[in-house]
Amino acid sequence: MKILVLNSGSSSIKYKLFDILPDKESLLDKGLVERIGEKIPGHKEALAIILDKIVSGVDAVGHRVVHGGNRFKESVLIDGEVIKAIENFSELAPLHNPPALLTINESMAMLSGIPHVAVFDTAFFQTIPEYAYMYAIPYDLYERYKIRRYGFHGTSHRYIAHQAALVLKKPIDKIKVITCHLGNGCSIAAVEKGKAIDTSMGFTPLEGLVMGTRSGDIDPAVIPYIMEKKNIDANSVIGLLNKESGLLGLSGISNDMREIIKEKGRNKRAALAFDLFAYRLKKYIGAYAGVMGGVDAVIFTGGIGENQPDLMKDICKGVVSAKTKIFSIPTDEELMIARDTKIIVNKD
Ligand code: ADP
């Protein structure tokens, strides 16, 4: 079955074309159309470029959708009602759900007559228990405004957990793993028997680990304090915490871990950024190993996770048992989306 996977941002669409057979998965083509809104007028035109390049017929399309709120616990076949629900959750992911919807609507018109499937970043975390996804704030804020922890990067964590089971040569429902997605954005998940039981990102991707430009965990009282001191509004502070913080904000040099590692021997703030990143990660790994009562493996992925094996072993030292396996696996969210698409299409 030939499956086209589309991953849409506000100014770009990434695609991969797979042939998913029962005994073989092959990547037939991949690419990126950028500068939508500048060189390319809109998502419709970007999509036309992609479809022009794909010569072979497509049997189904899988769409990455960031926010499925508390409704989508797994991937679904897209119909009018699903589109409405994704629209509803746009409020919770204003930068991500609207471009995905544009691409869904356009591609359903251009590739009508074949099934389209939505795969949500948040879905994998819908198994997290209430005591882990709730914030300890007045309950009606959850009931009225859906304020809770959702988690992101779910498709990546799910893929990594499944690949880890293959590496460990054990059924996924017999293992406990910690998956660490460390790229520009960073998140960590505790996965028991194939189900997520906790993750570090929250209501938005800002919570949790230190990232390239995001602060991760912070006392919320800092926000009005910065507003007052700098005479800026709440949105500007959130912008500062998302885009000017993390490795970049601490070091004043770069959001790129390669630069931080290069400079940390001679620059105090680069060393601080590195240490804080590693310390926060260590704390989360320790916490998740603790709540699961031991862990079979800690797996790393993303640009940082895949390229710094010694650092990752160092971070795990002393917080997990000597029997815990530590290794990295390259993530492939698009392959996971293609696999889900095939399962949904076959089911329906
Ligand atoms: P994204 O989250 O956008 O998919 P990646 O997973 O590709 O990004 O990760 C990008 C980040 O990985 C870069 O910002 C850089 O900090 C880091 N990175 C890439 N290669 C290395 C390396 N050899 N050592 C340390 N960090 C690296």
Side-chain angles (χ1 to χ4, degrees):
M1 183 183 285
K2 291 210 174 76
I3 297 168
L4 174 65
V5 175
L6 296 172
N7 182 351
S8 310
S10 55
S11 65
S12 70
I13 304 180
K14 271 194 249 173
Y15 71 92
K16 282 190 184 174
L17 179 68
F18 293 96
D19 192 11
I20 307 283
L21 299 170
D23 53 350
K24 199 169 161 229
E25 296 169 327
S26 353
L27 176 66
L28 304 177
D29 193 6
K30 65 172 187 173
L32 169 71
V33 179
E34 287 180 290
R35 300 181 66 189
I36 300 175
E38 294 173 58
K39 220 172 64 182
I40 295 161
H43 285 70
K44 185 178 180 178
E45 291 77 11
L47 209 54
I49 294 173
I50 293 171
L51 296 184
D52 252 7
K53 283 189 191 152
I54 293 167
V55 281
S56 49
V58 173
D59 300 306
V61 185
H63 296 269
R64 177 194 179 211
V65 181
V66 165
H67 221 304
N70 54 1
R71 163 160 176 186
F72 295 107
K73 300 182 188 336
E74 47 193 40
S75 306
V76 287
L77 192 69
I78 304 176
D79 58 17
E81 210 226 323
V82 169
I83 290 179
K84 250 197 214 116
I86 298 172
E87 253 161 27
N88 268 339
F89 296 124
S90 283
E91 202 179 29
L92 298 175
L95 299 179
H96 294 102
N97 275 21
L101 274 170
L102 277 175
T103 299
I104 288 171
N105 285 322
E106 294 298 348
S107 66
M108 284 179 84
M110 289 185 205
L111 295 169
S112 57
I114 61 169
H116 290 247
V117 169
V119 179
F120 301 91
D121 273 27
T122 48
F124 185 51
F125 299 122
Q126 284 295 306
T127 51
I128 288 178
E130 199 178 16
Y131 54 75
Y133 73 66
M134 288 298 289
Y135 291 115
I137 57 177
Y139 194 79
D140 72 312
L141 292 172
Y142 168 64
E143 291 178 307
R144 293 172 67 174
Y145 308 121
K146 308 186 192 96
I147 299 173
R148 50 160 283 180
R149 308 179 64 252
Y150 290 99
F152 299 89
H153 289 151
T155 310
S156 175
H157 287 283
R158 183 157 59 101
Y159 176 79
I160 295 301
H162 278 88
Q163 295 305 108
L166 299 178
V167 174
L168 296 170
K169 296 194 174 66
K170 285 187 180 163
I172 190 149
D173 58 0
K174 294 269 185 309
I175 56 170
K176 294 188 276 191
V177 296
I178 295 174
T179 51
C180 309
H181 179 114
L182 309 175
N184 281 312
C186 299
S187 64
I188 174 167
V191 185
E192 197 168 328
K193 300 180 181 170
K195 295 201 178 351
I197 60 154
D198 204 351
T199 192
S200 58
M201 284 179 168
F203 180 63
T204 75
L206 189 51
E207 192 177 344
L209 301 175
V210 174
M211 316 182 203
T213 61
R214 292 191 191 118
S215 63
D217 295 334
I218 191 168
D219 180 344
V222 166
I223 294 168
Y225 195 73
I226 298 175
M227 286 168 68
E228 201 183 304
K229 292 286 174 197
K230 285 181 69 92
N231 194 21
I232 55 176
D233 65 9
N235 268 339
S236 305
V237 182
I238 293 300
L240 180 150
L241 296 175
N242 267 304
K243 297 194 182 118
E244 298 168 38
S245 301
L247 296 177
L248 174 67
L250 276 169
S251 70
I253 296 173
S254 174
N255 62 323
D256 191 316
M257 185 53 108
R258 285 166 292 201
E259 289 297 310
I260 301 297
I261 290 172
K262 209 163 76 192
E263 293 297 322
K264 74 184 173 67
R266 52 183 175 230
N267 181 306
K268 264 192 177 165
R269 276 173 50 190
L272 173 65
F274 180 86
D275 290 345
L276 216 159
F277 177 94
Y279 178 70
R280 180 86 51 88
L281 181 56
K282 192 174 189 126
K283 273 211 298 198
Y284 268 92
I285 293 172
Y288 288 175
V291 294
M292 288 196 287
V295 56
D296 297 288
V298 185
I299 311 107
F300 294 90
T301 196
I304 305 172
E306 286 165 39
N307 292 301
Q308 295 294 328
D310 293 341
L311 169 63
M312 298 310 142
K313 287 211 166 83
D314 255 16
I315 286 171
C316 292
K317 208 180 281 166
V319 288
V320 294
S321 102
K323 279 192 279 179
T324 301
K325 304 267 188 307
I326 298 159
F327 53 95
S328 73
I329 296 176
T331 196
D332 195 339
E333 286 153 292
E334 289 82 9
L335 176 57
M336 198 76 219
I337 294 172
R339 286 177 185 170
D340 273 20
T341 302
K342 184 175 178 198
I343 291 169
I344 302 273
V345 169
N346 283 345
K347 204 165 67 187
D348 286 280

